[in-house]
Amino acid sequence: MLTLPDVLAARRRIAPEIRDTPLIESQWLSAIAHAEVRLKLESLQVCNTFKARGALNALRRLAALHSGASLPRIVTASAGNHGRGVAWAAERCGLHATIFTPRQAPRAKLDAIARHGVDLRAIAETYEESELLALEYAKTTGATYVSPYNDDDVIAGAGTTAVEILEHWPDVELVVAPVGGGGLLSGVAIAVRGMKPSAQVIGAEAEASPVFTSSIAARRLVQVNVLPTIADGLAGNAEADTRTWPYVRDLVNRVVAVPEADLRAGVRELLAKEHLVAEGAGVAGVAAVAAALTPRGLRTAVVVSGSNIDLSRLKECL
Amino acid sequence: MLTLPDVLAARRRIAPEIRDTPLIESQWLSAIAHAEVRLKLESLQVCNTFKARGALNALRRLAALHSGASLPRIVTASAGNHGRGVAWAAERCGLHATIFTPRQAPRAKLDAIARHGVDLRAIAETYEESELLALEYAKTTGATYVSPYNDDDVIAGAGTTAVEILEHWPDVELVVAPVGGGGLLSGVAIAVRGMKPSAQVIGAEAEASPVFTSSIAARRLVQVNVLPTIADGLAGNAEADTRTWPYVRDLVNRVVAVPEADLRAGVRELLAKEHLVAEGAGVAGVAAVAAALTPRGLRTAVVVSGSNIDLSRLKECL
């Protein structure tokens, strides 16, 4: 199992190339929560997503492991943001990467991936199909598969987000983060348990893809029916036996399911009230606090995890 | 005349309450400028505008001058953002403030001012009329007038923006800032001349309110005809004999006039390309770089000065 030292090692590895993103007060959410709420703006991270952290950590580790030998080829599956992070990190590390995504992933994500000169295959119908294609590709070509969530280095890299939160705001009492496959939420929980065990951790998932609320209710990782959602980055089932499940089950205080209407309102209100852009997945934590799905009265840090949203979709929400 | 030590003194005064805002690379503008371009995000400053800097500097100074005695009442005129900054700073300093603005100022600005419990008078037709009303109010009541630009403490406070830019990016070769009354541009120029004389400073004003391009052409401060503009924060003539004129004339390399269409495109493209929200005035520098009105090949910092835009106006631009 990963623990805090793994996250701190990831931080030393990636800090020179990653932004220590702003943590700024939201008066809007503070009024709702009856306590100070601050937003951790991974929407302003390199690649406009926290995914740059895990991708860089994983690829730097791989490049170092093969230092001097021939470098491995990388393959991954992604709803879009992890692919963007891997494409960026591959370019920096001099690695070749093949990236499978859904055909319908936002242009904001696909165009950004393509700019890094990787082998982009936006051919799947769903995230899960991207994953099957990527795993098959790894098997047939010998490329190294880097899962967007079921990977220790990716989880540890994502956890560095929480290290920054706790360093800049030691008084924080609750950290809220979006959850899709569970990489970010696991990393955050590992860091918070290690640095401040008294603080709570809450995950916010899309009600349209209720993997972790359903699994917690069933006390085992279950498959769910995935409906269309504006939170494209959170949609899809996790791999059977994903290593994120025990972290979410054992280290996270609660996972809440955010209805679609609240996610849309979250995108709109975050823009109207705080003049910040975030994608549907990125506002899941914000929407959970705004809809009072999280406890009040606690000093709360909310991870705004990404801002890769198409203008057309943003306009729909306004 | 103000010099660097005045700006550094302002910085010491306001730093504990002001955000050292992010300075982040824009790949979009870097490609256009053929050199690295970074955005100084005063759009994420307290009050969502750089105006918080000058307002806090001026009011903390006034409060300190009258320490122990009865505190002065403050009056100001504003297109909106300076008023927001003064309202915020007055609350922090325990000062009473009366703020005159145009009736048509954006709700994003007026609502935020009103939340600080100040005496808001949104009754003027134009910025200039707000100024006349505020000056008249000062004369009849004895309140202290704090101009949004024609004030040494406001200018020095605004200049702290450039100090942060130069500290975080000593290699910068050009700083581009929006200019309306000239407070920000003067402060930036004073700081840059003192810290790195070799760097250039360029002001970007709205073509609809071409105070400084016209004045530089005439070699004296002139009055101009002000047309409607999306850059509401830059619209309006400056006071006769404003102290910003000699700074702009003597310390700034060039002022460019940004056409209305470029300002609207600037709001839209900044959102589409960098997922950042800014108001019309806030993007004047961005739009100048995007439209290649500034020299290419120089490492450029662009001040994104504020993000107080109404959702309806933002939608118009998209």
Side-chain angles (χ1 to χ4, degrees), chain A residues 203-218:
Chain A
E205 73 182 356
E207 195 179 65
S209 183
V211 174
F212 287 98
T213 46
S214 303
S215 298
I216 289 167

Side-chain angles (χ1 to χ4, degrees), chain B residues 136-168:
Chain B
E136 180 64 26
Y137 181 93
K139 199 180 289 176
T140 54
T141 66
T144 302
Y145 177 64
V146 179
S147 167
Y149 56 92
N150 192 12
D151 182 298
D152 279 353
D153 294 323
V154 168
I155 293 169
T160 62
T161 310
V163 174
E164 291 174 8
I165 291 171
L166 285 155
E167 281 186 356
H168 292 295

Side-chain angles (χ1 to χ4, degrees), chain B residues 229-255:
Chain B
T229 171
I230 191 177
D232 57 273
L234 303 182
N237 278 288
E239 280 188 274
D241 300 319
T242 176
R243 67 195 74 193
T244 57
W245 165 238
Y247 295 117
V248 174
R249 182 190 60 204
D250 299 340
L251 304 183
V252 169
N253 295 82
R254 196 193 310 175
V255 176

Side-chain angles (χ1 to χ4, degrees), chain A residues 19 22 24-25 27 41 44 48 84 108 115 268 271-272 274-277 307-309 311 314-315 318, chain B residues 19 22 24-25 27 41 44 48 84 108 115 268 271-272 274-277 307-309 311 314-315 318:
Chain A
R19 290 184 190 138
I24 64 168
E25 186 186 353
Q27 294 192 344
L41 299 184
L44 297 180
N48 295 112
R84 184 170 179 186
R115 279 200 291 275
R268 184 179 62 245
L271 204 150
E274 304 295 347
H275 313 159
L276 293 169
V277 176
S307 59
N308 290 308
I309 185 169
L311 221 49
L314 185 64
K315 281 164 76 173
L318 301 186
Chain B
R19 291 185 190 136
I24 64 169
E25 186 186 353
Q27 295 191 344
L41 299 184
L44 297 180
N48 295 111
R84 186 171 177 184
R115 279 201 291 275
R268 184 179 61 245
L271 204 149
E274 304 295 347
H275 312 158
L276 293 170
V277 176
S307 60
N308 290 309
I309 185 169
L311 221 48
L314 185 66
K315 281 164 77 174
L318 300 186

Side-chain angles (χ1 to χ4, degrees), chain B residues 43 68 73-74 81 84 106 110 136 147 177 195-196 241 268:
Chain B
S43 49
R73 295 170 71 93
I74 306 296
N81 276 340
R84 186 171 177 184
L110 297 181
E136 180 64 26
S147 167
M195 291 178 76
K196 187 171 183 179
D241 300 319
R268 184 179 61 245

Side-chain angles (χ1 to χ4, degrees), chain B residues 258-318:
Chain B
V258 184
E260 205 57 21
D262 289 336
L263 291 173
R264 285 174 182 272
V267 171
R268 184 179 61 245
E269 295 302 297
L270 190 65
L271 204 149
K273 302 290 203 314
E274 304 295 347
H275 312 158
L276 293 170
V277 176
E279 60 184 280
V283 300
V286 167
V289 175
L293 302 176
T294 54
R296 294 181 184 198
L298 299 177
R299 288 184 291 272
T300 303
V302 185
V303 180
V304 178
S305 57
S307 60
N308 290 309
I309 185 169
D310 285 345
L311 221 48
S312 55
R313 177 144 274 193
L314 185 66
K315 281 164 77 174
E316 268 173 48
C317 290
L318 300 186

